[in-house]
Amino acid sequence: MAFTHVCLWTVLAFALTWTVLYVTNRKKKATELADAAAEERRDGASDVIIVGAGVGGSALAYALAKDGRRVHVIERDMREPERMMGEFMQPGGRFMLSQLGLQDCLDGIDAQKATGMAVYKDGKEAVASFPVDNNNFPYDPSARSFHNGRFVQSLRQKASSLPSVRLEEGTVKSLIEEKGVIKGVTYKNKAGEETTALAPLTVVCDGCYSNLRRSLNDNNAEVLSYQVGYISKNCRLDDPENLHLIMSKPSSIMLYQISSTDVRCGFELFPDNFPSIAKGEMATFAKNTLAPQVPPKLRKIFLKGLDEGAHIKAVPAKRMTATLSNKKGVIVLGDAFNMRHPSVAAGMMVLLSDILILRRLLQPLSNLGDANKVSEVIKSFYSIRKPMSATVNTLGTAFSQVLIASTDEAKEAMRQGCYDYLCSGGFRTSGMMALLGGMNPRPISLIYHLCAITLHSIGHLLSPFPSPIRIWHSLRLFGLATKMLVPHLKAEGVSQMLFPANAAAYRKSYMAASVF
């Protein structure tokens, strides 16, 4: 009996001793890890690496740095970019910019105020303005147009003004991966030296030509058409506060003021009908085919740039569905992540919305080194962004297809119906402009207006009486409208489009954000 007691007490003593040693050892290791992390942070290690210092990379760097993160931004070329895209920021984009504390980046770059859009078709003209009485939009309902490069440089300057942002010129070659987790990047610095940068989170934000996204996502960009443009210098539109959209043939023409003295002239062409820029065929095509369709009050400015030999640029208009990477420690943003037709000029707005959501979701995480928690945040981000992204992506596709001229009666009826609906005034105009301006990021509202435009177009097609051929064309028109919507229902998710459960979470993301 005494031997049994001795054995029992020995076992209990051993267990107690082991427990004390185990707990003490765990605390010691935790302290060592914390000290190591603190030492690494004191040595200047980054919390986040951002690849690309365009609009998205610079804005994200500033937002994360304001939250106390150490951010290392690597950009291939720090010179002022010369881009034809990203020159128009919708009212919704300006609101996102203000929520990130970056609204002053539009100051000092000669940005121009835009209050709406003037639309021209077959000699008719109408103005569609952004609604000023939208109670759901708590910001000035006006857009801004500007030279993209000036805006990017302003953002870079703002981000680099924070001591915890390191902005470096270099070319990222590849991602560093260990067991499915991205640990950082390898890059060649300005001196041409191969080096590495490590951080718990890497953000790929290097634009539509990104090479890194191929190692992260399996989505491919589809080239829809080409946007062709040039600048007419030393001139000013009679109505500079409107973007001027001409529903011409074969597609649309746009003119808008991007500075107090510069007007952007642009139009859309398709690969099967693409004159050579180098041989001068493009300028001839614009003068002989497009210029006669430009309203007289705009024609002189449209021709001015061509006559003065303005540099004509052509960039592909791409579409790419957003998909999440199955690798941890990394997220893709901007045109490297999701693209839509540029006809709605909303790419920057969606990007800034994404940054606002991601920043808010990352704020509670004191340690970005927990790859599982960061992965959960990224999955939440993908869902919460849907109201804005699904609305803009669907609208971009629908609007771009409607703008294409056609000899097909059904397609032309839809085109005419869109013009009539957009320019009719009242709820129709204000509703569509709220969607175009990012002031109402609700997919269900977009679906309502698309259905209304379709019914309006069918009504126009059937008048004055529904003959068999008109009924046939009406059925075809309905089929065309269905083809515009159904692919996006599949791509974005039926539940997110028809029953947007994330709408409240999205609204909280941008309405609850602090203004610095």
Side-chain angles (χ1 to χ4, degrees):
M1 189 69 174
F3 177 76
T4 303
H5 285 162
V6 170
C7 290
L8 180 60
W9 280 109
T10 301
V11 171
L12 289 174
F14 176 79
L16 182 61
T17 303
W18 183 87
T19 301
V20 171
L21 290 173
Y22 176 76
V23 172
T24 303
N25 191 46
R26 279 189 62 116
K27 287 183 177 180
K28 183 179 179 182
K29 285 185 176 180
T31 302
E32 290 174 351
L33 288 172
D35 290 343
E39 184 63 32
E40 187 178 39
R41 187 173 177 83
R42 282 193 294 270
D43 290 341
S46 303
D47 298 309
V48 183
I49 294 170
I50 299 176
V51 181
V55 172
S58 300
L60 180 63
Y62 179 83
L64 294 180
K66 291 294 284 187
D67 289 340
R69 315 285 188 189
R70 289 183 179 269
V71 185
H72 184 186
V73 187
I74 305 172
E75 164 60 37
R76 181 179 58 84
D77 190 347
M78 287 295 184
R79 292 174 297 180
E80 182 176 312
E82 296 182 8
R83 290 195 62 198
M84 190 174 71
M85 311 292 260
E87 295 176 325
F88 195 88
M89 182 173 289
Q90 300 284 5
R94 288 185 58 235
F95 176 61
M96 305 298 171
L97 199 69
S98 72
Q99 293 292 75
L100 292 167
L102 293 166
Q103 66 272 23
D104 57 339
C105 290
L106 288 172
D107 300 333
I109 62 171
D110 200 14
Q112 301 296 296
K113 181 179 180 180
T115 57
M117 178 168 60
V119 189
Y120 307 83
K121 186 179 187 296
D122 301 329
K124 297 180 180 179
E125 173 187 349
V127 174
S129 300
F130 296 117
V132 297
D133 56 350
N134 189 334
N135 295 326
N136 294 320
F137 187 70
Y139 202 67
D140 170 40
S142 63
R144 292 292 185 274
S145 54
F146 41 77
H147 282 273
N148 174 270
R150 297 177 187 175
F151 180 52
V152 169
Q153 292 298 83
S154 182
L155 287 170
R156 288 173 178 173
Q157 184 177 5
K158 182 87 170 181
S160 60
S161 68
L162 300 179
S164 54
V165 174
R166 178 189 174 194
L167 200 58
E168 181 182 10
E169 185 168 287
T171 303
V172 175
K173 297 296 184 180
S174 62
L175 299 169
I176 300 172
E177 181 180 351
E178 292 181 11
K179 298 179 180 179
V181 179
I182 301 301
K183 299 292 187 179
V185 299
T186 60
Y187 68 102
K188 183 177 288 187
N189 62 23
K190 192 174 182 179
E193 301 166 335
E194 291 277 354
T195 185
T196 62
L198 303 178
L201 178 62
T202 300
V203 182
V204 176
C205 196
D206 55 349
C208 62
Y209 298 106
S210 172
N211 291 319
L212 297 179
R213 75 160 178 254
R214 296 190 180 96
S215 62
L216 298 171
N217 299 329
D218 57 1
N219 52 348
N220 294 312
E222 173 190 3
V223 176
L224 303 171
S225 60
Y226 288 88
Q227 299 293 311
V228 184
Y230 57 91
I231 296 175
S232 288
K233 295 182 177 295
N234 301 314
C235 56
R236 192 161 179 83
L237 295 165
D238 291 339
D239 184 10
E241 289 199 358
N242 277 318
L243 183 151
H244 297 264
L245 171 66
I246 304 151
M247 298 179 73
S248 56
K249 298 176 182 179
S251 190
S252 59
I253 301 170
M254 283 190 182
L255 287 86
Y256 51 97
Q257 201 83 39
I258 58 173
S259 77
S260 55
T261 59
D262 294 341
V263 174
R264 167 64 69 187
C265 304
F267 49 91
E268 182 178 23
L269 288 178
F270 303 93
D272 57 350
N273 180 26
F274 200 82
S276 170
I277 295 176
K279 295 179 181 179
E281 296 172 357
M282 185 68 75
T284 301
F285 170 81
K287 288 180 181 180
N288 297 339
T289 303
L290 298 180
Q293 301 181 65
V294 177
K297 68 177 184 178
L298 302 173
R299 193 176 301 155
K300 183 178 179 180
I301 291 178
F302 183 81
L303 288 170
K304 188 175 189 295
L306 297 171
D307 292 337
E308 293 177 352
H311 176 55
I312 300 176
K313 296 182 67 175
V315 296
K318 298 181 178 181
R319 178 174 60 199
M320 186 175 69
T321 304
T323 58
L324 278 181
S325 173
N326 57 7
K327 295 177 182 178
K328 297 179 179 180
V330 65
I331 185 170
V332 186
L333 290 178
D335 285 346
F337 175 54
N338 187 199
M339 286 182 275
R340 77 288 306 154
H341 195 282
S343 60
V344 292
M348 286 189 295
M349 179 172 67
V350 174
L351 174 55
L352 293 171
S353 171
D354 286 350
I355 290 171
L356 199 62
I357 295 168
L358 181 63
R359 170 182 169 265
R360 186 186 70 83
L361 292 174
L362 288 174
Q363 279 176 336
L365 300 185
S366 58
N367 177 21
L368 297 182
D370 190 330
N372 291 325
K373 285 187 177 180
V374 173
S375 182
E376 291 174 7
V377 162
I378 293 173
K379 289 178 181 177
S380 297
F381 156 80
Y382 183 73
S383 298
I384 294 173
R385 73 184 294 269
K386 283 290 184 177
M388 172 63 83
S389 64
T391 301
V392 172
N393 291 343
T394 307
L395 183 58
T397 296
F399 197 55
S400 65
Q401 291 182 12
V402 165
L403 291 177
I404 301 172
S406 176
T407 56
D408 185 304
E409 285 195 43
K411 290 182 179 179
E412 190 56 33
M414 176 67 89
R415 191 165 177 255
Q416 182 64 47
C418 181
Y419 173 84
D420 293 340
Y421 191 91
L422 182 61
C423 303
S424 60
F427 171 75
R428 293 176 175 182
T429 300
S430 63
M432 282 302 298
M433 291 304 292
L435 287 165
L436 283 166
M439 302 163 67
N440 180 23
R442 294 181 177 88
I444 196 69
S445 297
L446 172 61
I447 292 171
Y448 167 81
H449 284 285
L450 289 180
C451 290
I453 291 173
T454 301
L455 293 175
H456 178 83
S457 302
I458 289 174
H460 177 77
L461 193 59
L462 290 175
S463 64
F465 60 91
S467 65
I469 189 65
R470 289 179 180 275
I471 293 174
W472 167 241
H473 286 315
S474 297
L475 292 173
R476 291 180 56 247
L477 191 153
F478 183 80
L480 290 171
T482 302
K483 287 181 180 179
M484 290 180 187
L485 183 59
V486 170
H488 284 280
L489 285 173
K490 293 180 179 179
E492 304 290 350
V494 175
S495 61
Q496 284 87 349
M497 291 287 284
L498 297 180
F499 309 102
N502 292 311
Y506 175 78
R507 186 169 180 80
K508 180 181 178 183
S509 292
Y510 75 85
M511 291 297 291
S514 299
V515 179
F516 296 113

